[in-house]
Amino acid sequence: MPATAPPPRYAYLGPAGTFTEAALRQVASPDEAQYLPQVDVVSALESVRAVRADYAVVPIENSVEGGVTATLDTLATGLALVLLREVLVPITFVLAGRPGTRLADVRRVSTHPHAWAQCRRWVNTHLPGVVHVPATSTAAAGALLADPAAGSGAAADPGFEAALVAPLTAELYGLEVLATQVADNERAVTRFVVVGRPGPVPAPTGSDKTSLVVHLPSNDAGALLEMLEQFAARGVNLSRIESRPIGDLMGRYSFSIDAEGHVAEERVAEALMGLHRVCPHVRFLGSYPRADGVAPRIEPGMTDDAFAGARQWVEDLRGGRAS
């Protein structure tokens, strides 16, 4: 009788109850996969590089705060990793404390820095003067508040009186909700990605993204335009572009880019070839389905058939078969 294959291992930003776990549950249920909670995003990604995990699920972009720099920077360097899928999770926060805590008791609030950034106006309005205590994740703040030090007793001081967490986290750790709907933007969404080791690129779906890290060809005037022209000339729209310091010298930056389309499509492949010709470093981070299912608008003359026809025309010219 053949042995049963072990379930895939997913590293993710833990502990239990994080928004990242909510994203992971959209990818694979606990019955289908082994969940490996990690203390931070870098640890989750490095687990895949070290083959301690098959995949990682990490946040990459928030609709309010922008790119998650720890994810962007870790993907940009080190052994190659690729994005296989993206997942969108609506973000809702509550302010939670130990049972018996009153809103008037709160002087320090713990949460992840991205969560704090999404709730600053509410905090300034309702809890002026409160100090932010950074946590590695929203759920980590809730877990520490519920159990400041295992075995030390309920009277131990975690260093804060309340935490900004997901409603599920408050329920999971037995915390009392002090306030609901505390986010500044009730429509906030975080984009998460499934990351794996390089392999065959998934087939195009007609609604895809291609992610890249690109270094500028020079520090001269027009260098950024030269890079962007590789996309514009082929009708490839960019859904995200962010600059990140390379780190070796002041003033040197790379660009983290999401382009609409798939590397199997002629216009995207041509853009990548153009980047490879003019830029000193291009890292391909994968082509994968868009979570929202929106297909890109392809301009006339930029379809696969148009590129194939133009290529055939040149071949005919070379062979003396056309004018």
Side-chain angles (χ1 to χ4, degrees), residues 98 147-158:
R98 291 176 173 180
D147 185 10
S152 66
D157 181 9

Side-chain angles (χ1 to χ4, degrees), residues 1-8 31-34 54:
M1 186 173 180
T4 303
D31 297 331
E32 301 170 317
Q34 181 182 359
D54 302 302

Side-chain angles (χ1 to χ4, degrees), residues 160-184:
F160 49 92
E161 295 79 34
L164 289 166
V165 298
L168 176 61
T169 302
E171 179 182 346
L172 183 65
Y173 291 107
L175 298 173
E176 186 173 306
V177 174
L178 308 179
T180 60
Q181 298 180 324
V182 300
D184 299 334

Side-chain angles (χ1 to χ4, degrees), residues 214-230:
V214 182
H215 292 191
L216 286 183
S218 70
N219 203 26
D220 299 331
L224 177 58
L225 176 61
E226 184 178 14
M227 185 264 282
L228 293 175
E229 281 178 338
Q230 307 308 313

Side-chain angles (χ1 to χ4, degrees), residues 34-219:
Q34 181 182 359
Y35 287 13
L36 304 175
Q38 306 294 314
V39 296
D40 53 34
V41 163
V42 175
S43 299
L45 293 171
E46 293 299 340
S47 293
V48 180
R49 285 187 171 130
V51 200
R52 295 190 298 270
D54 302 302
Y55 307 101
V57 176
V58 293
I60 195 169
E61 182 184 9
N62 176 265
S63 61
V64 175
E65 191 66 4
V68 179
T69 56
T71 299
L72 299 178
D73 293 347
T74 305
L75 290 172
T77 58
L79 294 176
L81 295 171
V82 292
L83 312 186
L84 305 172
R85 178 179 172 182
E86 66 176 15
V87 175
L88 302 179
V89 176
I91 303 300
T92 303
F93 296 106
V94 298
L95 183 71
R98 291 176 173 180
T101 302
R102 301 171 305 163
L103 202 59
D105 299 329
V106 177
R107 296 290 180 270
R108 300 162 296 178
V109 174
S110 183
T111 195
H112 188 275
H114 265 247
W116 180 258
Q118 295 176 64
C119 302
R120 278 186 294 227
R121 289 200 302 273
W122 186 95
V123 172
N124 287 338
T125 299
H126 296 87
L127 296 170
V130 159
V131 175
H132 173 218
V133 179
T136 55
S137 70
T138 54
L144 183 58
L145 188 59
D147 185 10
S152 66
D157 181 9
F160 49 92
E161 295 79 34
L164 289 166
V165 298
L168 176 61
T169 302
E171 179 182 346
L172 183 65
Y173 291 107
L175 298 173
E176 186 173 306
V177 174
L178 308 179
T180 60
Q181 298 180 324
V182 300
D184 299 334
N185 186 334
E186 61 183 19
R187 294 183 294 178
V189 175
T190 293
R191 174 178 162 233
F192 296 83
V193 287
V194 180
V195 182
R197 292 180 289 276
V201 179
T205 67
S207 174
D208 302 284
K209 286 181 182 177
T210 294
S211 293
L212 307 162
V213 175
V214 182
H215 292 191
L216 286 183
S218 70
N219 203 26

Side-chain angles (χ1 to χ4, degrees), residues 69 73 76-77 215 243-249 251-255:
T69 56
D73 293 347
T77 58
H215 292 191
S243 62
R244 296 295 304 150
I246 294 174
D248 54 355
L249 294 170
R252 279 182 28 91
Y253 287 82
S254 67
F255 288 85

